[in-house]
């Protein structure tokens, strides 16, 4: 079965540093998402992306966050100036066109901000 | 109040038991997903529902749109079914709202 791949699997950074988390969605998928899960808490929606622009974002997704699809295959999440509370597992997901289509998740990037 | 509520939060059962996990939501949705998260953290989509019932192997998922309720059932449960099961609603086409998850432990 096709897979969504995320890199790196673990990222450790100092507070205030910029990080870029990378995702390669499945090739014929058109909708892309970022979620995060802080340890011990529920999964939280961050942002959805369609047709090369953000279609929905949560209140968590403030000016410190941005997403890009720089080369037609990668889908990146940038955090400009990381805070301690950004430490979480970040998941990317994608799906085909159509509300009824199944979501496919990457295995996540564990971000630790020190 | 959470838009998506799951019950129970934790469930421990013996191998072979029939398992039911419930999900109630309070807003209009276009669809609902049941997800499985294993101890390593990876998330897998089990079902997408917009009406009725779906079955895959020992897993059955139902949804009642009028009552804003969905259930996930596992027949003949097995220790490998131990995981966190997450109910997720889709608002509009793009926004997903997650339940807090149900931690299922199946003992041999």
């Amino acid at each position: 079965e096709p897979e969504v791949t995320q890199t790196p699997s673990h990222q450790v950074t100092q507070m205030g540093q910029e990080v870029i988390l990378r995702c390669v969605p499945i090739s014929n998928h058109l909708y892309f998402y970022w979620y995060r899960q802080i340890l011990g808490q529920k999964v939280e929606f961050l942002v959805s992306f369609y047709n090369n622009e953000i279609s929905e974002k949560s209140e968590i997704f403030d000016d410190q966050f941005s997403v890009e699809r720089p080369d037609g295959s990668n889908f990146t999440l940038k955090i400009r100036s990381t805070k301690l509370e950004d430490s979480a597992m970040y998941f990317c997901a994608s799906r085909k066109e159509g509300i009824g289509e199944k979501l496919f998740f990457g295995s996540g990037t564990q971000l630790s901000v020190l | 109040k959470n838009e998506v509520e799951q019950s129970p939060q934790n469930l421990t059962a013996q191998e072979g038991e029939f398992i039911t996990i419930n999900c109630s939501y309070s807003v209009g949705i276009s669809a609902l997903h049941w997800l499985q998260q294993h101890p390593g953290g990876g998330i897998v989509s089990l079902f997408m529902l917009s009406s009725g019932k779906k079955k895959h192997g020992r897993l059955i998922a139902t949804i009642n749109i009028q009552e804003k309720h969905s259930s996930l059932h596992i027949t003949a449960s097995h220790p490998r079914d131990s995981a966190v099961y997450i109910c997720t609603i889709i608002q509009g086409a793009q926004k997903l709202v997650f339940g807090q998850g149900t931690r299922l432990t199946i003992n041999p």
Side-chain angles (χ1 to χ4, degrees):
Chain A
E1 191 168 62
E3 285 185 347
V4 175
T5 55
Q6 287 187 243
T7 54
S9 56
H10 293 86
Q11 174 94 45
V12 181
T13 190
Q14 295 288 326
M15 190 169 59
Q17 294 295 304
E18 175 182 285
V19 294
I20 297 176
L21 309 182
R22 291 184 168 79
C23 170
V24 180
I26 294 170
S27 61
N28 61 347
H29 287 191
L30 298 177
Y31 291 85
F32 313 115
Y33 306 84
W34 282 102
Y35 308 99
R36 75 176 187 188
Q37 186 174 31
I38 294 169
L39 186 64
Q41 297 185 23
K42 70 175 191 174
V43 180
E44 301 173 296
F45 168 77
L46 291 177
V47 66
S48 57
F49 193 85
Y50 173 73
N51 204 22
N52 289 321
E53 59 183 30
I54 290 173
S55 44
E56 291 257 15
K57 59 182 182 178
S58 72
E59 54 277 5
I60 302 167
F61 194 88
D62 61 20
D63 293 344
Q64 292 301 312
F65 290 87
S66 62
V67 288
E68 267 192 341
R69 197 148 187 252
D71 56 12
S73 60
N74 289 286
F75 178 51
T76 62
L77 175 70
K78 183 192 291 186
I79 309 175
R80 286 191 184 81
S81 177
T82 49
K83 308 187 205 50
L84 297 176
E85 54 266 35
D86 293 328
S87 296
M89 179 75 91
Y90 287 80
F91 292 102
C92 169
S94 69
R95 66 176 177 87
K96 290 181 188 176
E97 183 89 51
I99 291 172
E101 291 294 333
K102 200 171 163 181
L103 283 165
F104 288 80
F105 284 82
S107 53
T109 293
Q110 180 65 56
L111 176 66
S112 299
V113 182
L114 306 178
Chain B
K1 184 185 184 302
N2 291 330
E3 291 167 306
V4 182
E5 294 279 354
Q6 287 183 235
S7 62
Q9 289 191 29
N10 292 283
L11 178 57
T12 299
Q14 290 300 120
E15 184 173 355
E17 286 188 39
F18 181 81
I19 302 299
T20 296
I21 299 171
N22 295 299
C23 175
S24 296
Y25 53 91
S26 56
V27 295
I29 66 169
S30 52
L32 180 147
H33 283 267
W34 280 102
L35 310 175
Q36 182 189 55
Q37 186 172 32
H38 275 283
I43 298 177
V44 174
S45 176
L46 298 173
F47 293 104
M48 192 290 302
L49 295 162
S50 53
S51 64
K53 176 178 170 177
K54 285 190 178 177
K55 184 176 191 292
H56 182 67
R58 295 181 293 105
L59 301 178
I60 303 165
T62 62
I63 189 167
N64 185 317
I65 297 291
Q66 286 73 34
E67 294 186 4
K68 293 187 166 60
H69 182 268
S70 175
S71 293
L72 176 69
H73 306 284
I74 305 175
T75 61
S77 59
H78 191 275
R80 64 174 174 267
D81 297 325
S82 298
V84 176
Y85 292 84
I86 304 170
C87 171
T88 305
I89 61 172
I90 302 172
Q91 290 185 282
Q94 299 283 32
K95 184 179 178 187
L96 273 73
V97 181
F98 294 83
Q100 78 277 27
T102 294
R103 184 174 299 279
L104 175 66
T105 304
I106 303 296
N107 293 318

